[in-house]
């Protein structure tokens, strides 16, 4: 469970140099997207190797429990995906791989939102939804015309 650095206070940097610890001209300081990759543990924890390893194990276990609860919520009632991404966010406080996964996910969600708001795509989606509803209505009408409306609790031929 190495975060890519054995030195206390040292932070691994993204390979694309798009986001670093030092803000460039015109960028705000303290913004989460511009923070470097690596551990967000307090300095006194990073300064002691055994304490930092224990911290990482604790973060991993808590994140694993949250992700596990989210996976259980996928088939059951509950906000499964939200909880899974919450567990990933917990892992991202300590592990570079989780930070990279979250950045990729945020980028893909933002791209999908921009595509969904495109007027051409919205018109197409509305058209397809109307066509689907018309097909379902026609099939329901044919079924009711052919078999009628029979409630399952009023079956007398048993």
């Amino acid at each position: 469970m190495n975060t890519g650095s054995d030195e206390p206070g040292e932070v691994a940097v993204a390979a694309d140099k798009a986001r670093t610890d030092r803000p460039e001209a015109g960028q705000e300081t303290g913004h989460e997207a511009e923070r470097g990759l690596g551990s967000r543990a307090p300095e006194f924890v990073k300064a002691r190797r055994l304490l930092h390893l224990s911290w990482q194990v604790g973060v991993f276990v808590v994140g694993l429990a949250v992700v596990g609860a989210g996976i259980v919520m996928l088939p059951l009632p509950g906000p499964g995906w939200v909880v899974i991404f919450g567990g990933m966010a917990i892992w991202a406080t300590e592990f570079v791989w989780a930070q990279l996964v979250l950045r990729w996910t945020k980028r893909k969600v933002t791209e999908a939102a921009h595509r969904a708001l495109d007027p051409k795509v919205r018109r197409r989606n509305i058209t397809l939804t109307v066509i689907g509803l018309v097909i379902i209505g026609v099939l329901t009408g044919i079924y009711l015309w052919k078999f009628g409306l029979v409630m399952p609790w009023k079956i007398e031929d048993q």
Side-chain angles (χ1 to χ4, degrees):
M1 289 190 221
N2 192 358
T3 60
S5 170
D6 291 333
E7 298 297 320
E10 185 177 328
V11 177
V13 181
D16 62 355
K17 304 286 183 189
R19 298 181 174 133
T20 61
D21 277 344
R22 285 181 242 100
E24 296 176 6
Q27 292 180 338
E28 297 178 20
T29 58
H31 190 267
E32 183 181 344
E34 287 139 5
R35 292 171 67 173
L37 299 174
S39 177
R40 306 280 194 272
E43 291 301 321
F44 74 91
V45 172
K46 289 188 215 178
R48 294 161 183 83
R49 186 163 176 77
L50 185 61
L51 186 58
H52 193 218
L53 184 62
S54 301
W55 179 276
Q56 287 179 324
V57 168
V59 167
F60 183 79
V61 168
V62 169
L64 185 64
V66 173
V67 168
I71 290 172
V72 168
M73 286 183 202
L74 287 176
L76 299 176
W81 286 110
V82 174
V83 175
I84 289 172
F85 288 125
M88 288 297 296
I90 291 171
W91 279 339
T93 63
E94 197 59 35
F95 303 107
V96 173
W97 59 268
Q99 293 169 2
L100 294 174
V101 167
L102 277 182
R103 284 185 180 178
W104 178 84
T105 305
K106 287 178 186 177
R107 187 174 60 247
K108 291 298 180 182
V109 167
T110 303
E111 291 171 5
H114 285 298
R115 279 194 315 268
L117 294 176
D118 182 26
K120 293 178 188 175
V121 174
R122 289 183 69 192
R123 275 193 301 274
R124 184 199 65 201
N125 289 345
I126 290 171
T127 303
L128 291 174
T129 301
V130 168
I131 290 171
L133 289 173
V134 167
I135 290 172
I136 290 171
V138 168
L139 292 175
T140 303
I142 291 171
Y143 177 84
L144 290 174
W145 174 66
K146 186 159 178 109
F147 299 107
L149 182 61
V150 178
M151 296 297 167
W153 52 86
K154 291 186 179 180
I155 297 176
E156 298 170 1
D157 296 333
Q158 288 187 358

